[in-house]
Amino acid sequence: MKRLRTNRFCVNKILIGSLTVCMLLGAFSGCGGTGTSDSSSASGPLKELSEVPEYTEEKKMWIGGWNSPPATEAAYTYAEDGGVNMLWNIGSAQHMELAEKHGVELYPLMSSNKVLKSMEEIDAAYKSFENYSSFGGFNYVDEPGRTLFEPLGELAKNHNEKYPEIDFLVNLYPSSFYYQNSDNAAISYEEYVEEFCEEVLTELTDSRRILSFDHYNMQLGSTGGYLMDNWLYTVEVIADYAKKYDADTHAFFLTTQHYNYLAQTYESLKFQANAYMAYGIEGFSHFTYAGGWDNHPVDPGTGAPAGNGALYRAMSELDNELLAWDDIYLAFEWQEVMQITGSDNLEEDSFYVNNCFGNTSLSVESSDLLTNVSATKDTLIGFFEDKAGNPAMMVTNFDFPSAITGTDTEVPGAPDFNTLGTNYVKIKIEGANKVLIVRDGSLVEEEITDGTINLSLEGAGAAFVIPLRIVG
């Protein structure tokens, strides 16, 4: 059964809620990296519109989980209620039937210990699953070395010719681990991603191109929690090559505590999502939603879809917030990102550099959209455009706590976002007189004066801002 598929990562109605846009006192102040530009246009950079645009075209954001939940009605009910609409590595008729019932798509794994299945095996798997609407595509391999790129290219060509309506998935290494595979040791991470795009993605002329990666970013150090300083480097490389090769993007959340990674809460999951979305990442999966990873039992404490523990509740809250406005977010194409060093940090140390910012090179220093911008905390601003050329911004508070929660808290060892102050962001856009703002899945419309947008972003907070110039 052939099924036409959209080219984007179910469909949810936007939740109308309230948003408090707080005034930031004082004049504009300079930020690290400036983050400002002068507009020479008399009318400003915005198109003149007669009415506020609506974003109602149905879009689908991937919200996935790695590994298999139990093949039970209860497990798939928890998955559906938790906002999960795709699961990796599952290939059985029983799972396909349950997934069909609960609006979940499945992606069987086409390799074992990084040994790829043959074309004949893959063709046979396709024939066994093609009549299930829950069959989303194949996960060909996780974290391949570059010696697999040539055979993956052959499989991509086969996939494109025989079943382009389903997805071809490969999850790439992050920059933190790609070189530990000896196949990759002699090249840079940019070369690793580019080589995959050239040898594999270019074969997908009729099937959706996807760049997926995992980079688990929050670790425990000797004095508390910290972000891996090469995390945003991975993200910017993926975002850049996705733009060059017309690919959709997908990232894994650190969800389950493992190795030296921190435990997770709603705030820490939201922090990951908001940072990724500043770089235009379009789909997400939890590692590992289904539990059972190494010695972790399958229970609510590891996010298993068979209970109602703290992590499941946190994951469910985030997932359903994301799905509440995916029609809006996915109506825009990511363009570039700006990194702003918070004025609070520069006041404390004039030589301060955010370690994650310091390891990136593709952020812009200014934008034609902005007359001026300031932020009191480290901030990411992702720039987007819809198909009519109207701009939007994902303004993300990138302040991260070094403190972690104690043993007497609900989730011991998680990043303690309660220790952070508010990030006051002030943006001026010439000619803007109205904004649409989405926060935590809720949309509001605000009048603004003198093109000035004032935002207060709590720890782990963000706002998707659509500036408008409404005339007539």
Side-chain angles (χ1 to χ4, degrees):
M1 177 180 67
K2 297 292 185 182
R3 291 176 283 115
L4 293 177
R5 302 172 58 82
T6 64
N7 64 350
R8 287 287 187 184
F9 294 117
C10 130
V11 177
N12 294 268
K13 297 299 182 182
I14 192 72
L15 302 178
I16 304 299
S18 61
L19 171 68
T20 301
V21 180
C22 297
M23 292 301 294
L24 172 61
L25 300 178
F28 288 115
S29 60
C31 300
T34 69
T36 63
S37 66
D38 293 325
S39 174
S40 58
S41 170
S43 60
L46 299 178
K47 293 184 176 183
E48 293 186 348
L49 303 176
S50 59
E51 59 184 5
V52 174
E54 294 184 354
Y55 298 96
T56 57
E57 183 180 349
E58 295 180 354
K59 303 287 184 179
K60 178 181 179 181
M61 177 179 282
W62 258 353
I63 304 290
W66 185 264
N67 289 344
S68 173
T72 65
E73 185 73 30
Y76 276 87
T77 297
Y78 274 107
E80 182 179 12
D81 292 347
V84 172
N85 55 43
M86 67 90 71
L87 289 167
W88 298 68
N89 307 331
I90 303 174
S92 76
Q94 187 178 11
H95 277 284
M96 288 284 176
E97 290 168 3
L98 284 164
E100 229 174 27
K101 183 177 178 181
H102 291 278
V104 179
E105 290 188 322
L106 305 183
Y107 289 76
L109 180 62
M110 293 293 106
S111 60
S112 177
N113 296 320
K114 300 192 190 302
V115 177
L116 302 172
K117 292 186 181 296
S118 68
M119 286 186 187
E120 291 75 17
E121 291 174 304
I122 295 169
D123 287 342
Y126 175 78
K127 290 176 183 177
S128 67
F129 298 132
E130 64 176 325
N131 291 321
Y132 291 102
S133 62
S134 55
F135 178 35
F138 289 127
N139 173 23
Y140 280 84
V141 67
D142 180 47
E143 296 183 332
R146 59 197 293 243
T147 57
L148 287 181
F149 289 173
E150 183 176 349
L152 280 170
E154 291 299 314
L155 292 178
K157 184 176 181 180
N158 178 71
H159 184 108
N160 188 75
E161 291 175 351
K162 295 178 180 177
Y163 22 90
E165 79 284 355
I166 65 169
D167 290 331
F168 180 102
L169 278 181
V170 172
N171 186 60
L172 298 179
Y173 279 108
S175 65
S176 52
F177 288 114
Y178 86 101
Y179 58 87
Q180 293 185 3
N181 185 314
S182 60
D183 295 345
N184 307 328
I187 61 174
S188 69
Y189 187 64
E190 293 99 317
E191 290 171 319
Y192 170 75
V193 176
E194 182 178 32
E195 194 169 320
F196 174 78
C197 292
E198 277 295 310
E199 295 197 28
V200 183
L201 288 194
T202 54
E203 297 290 349
L204 299 172
T205 56
D206 300 308
S207 187
R208 179 164 62 140
R209 297 178 179 182
I210 301 165
L211 276 179
S212 174
F213 70 99
D214 50 15
H215 192 144
Y216 307 125
N217 56 341
M218 303 179 190
Q219 292 197 317
L220 180 64
S222 58
T223 59
Y226 70 95
L227 290 175
M228 295 183 71
D229 59 15
N230 54 4
W231 176 42
L232 290 189
Y233 167 64
T234 298
V235 185
E236 75 168 8
V237 170
I238 294 293
D240 185 53
Y241 278 96
K243 188 175 179 181
K244 290 176 180 176
Y245 285 85
D246 191 27
D248 293 333
T249 50
H250 170 273
F252 279 89
F253 293 135
L254 165 61
T255 300
T256 299
Q257 184 179 23
H258 61 284
Y259 293 153
N260 203 38
Y261 300 121
L262 299 182
Q264 295 296 294
T265 63
Y266 164 72
E267 287 78 16
S268 58
L269 290 171
K270 183 168 71 167
F271 175 85
Q272 294 179 68
N274 289 338
Y276 282 134
M277 293 170 82
Y279 284 86
I281 304 302
E282 296 157 301
F284 306 101
S285 288
H286 294 275
F287 186 87
T288 171
Y289 169 63
W293 189 84
D294 283 357
N295 295 320
H296 292 280
V298 178
D299 65 26
T302 59
N308 195 32
L311 185 54
Y312 174 83
R313 294 194 301 272
M315 181 203 73
S316 178
E317 184 176 358
L318 173 70
D319 293 351
N320 284 292
E321 282 180 3
L322 293 175
L323 293 172
W325 68 287
D326 57 353
D327 290 353
I328 295 177
Y329 177 73
L330 295 177
F332 287 82
E333 293 282 347
W334 180 78
Q335 303 298 314
E336 58 193 13
V337 73
M338 177 186 290
Q339 299 169 348
I340 300 174
T341 301
S343 57
D344 287 355
N345 291 320
L346 291 174
E347 286 178 5
E348 292 180 9
D349 178 3
S350 60
F351 296 102
Y352 168 86
V353 175
N354 184 298
N355 288 335
C356 287
F357 292 179
N359 280 282
T360 61
S361 62
L362 300 179
S363 61
V364 298
E365 295 294 315
S366 62
S367 168
D368 291 338
L369 179 64
L370 307 183
T371 302
N372 211 331
V373 60
S374 66
T376 57
K377 308 293 183 183
D378 291 351
T379 303
L380 297 171
I381 301 182
F383 294 94
F384 298 76
E385 281 189 0
D386 67 13
K387 59 186 178 182
N390 298 308
M393 298 170 288
M394 184 70 181
V395 186
T396 295
N397 185 355
F398 199 70
D399 194 23
F400 187 76
S402 59
I404 58 174
T405 56
T407 56
D408 59 341
T409 56
E410 184 179 27
V411 185
D416 190 356
F417 281 87
N418 290 325
T419 62
L420 299 180
T422 301
N423 183 9
Y424 295 101
V425 182
K426 190 172 186 178
I427 298 169
K428 185 168 183 178
I429 301 174
E430 186 176 349
N433 56 17
K434 190 183 291 289
V435 290
L436 298 177
I437 303 178
V438 183
R439 283 180 64 169
D440 302 333
S442 296
L443 172 72
V444 296
E445 181 180 314
E446 294 281 342
E447 304 284 343
I448 60 173
T449 303
D450 194 31
T452 300
I453 304 165
N454 292 293
L455 301 169
S456 61
L457 303 177
E458 72 288 352
F464 192 74
V465 181
I466 304 172
L468 300 169
R469 179 175 174 83
I470 306 298
V471 297

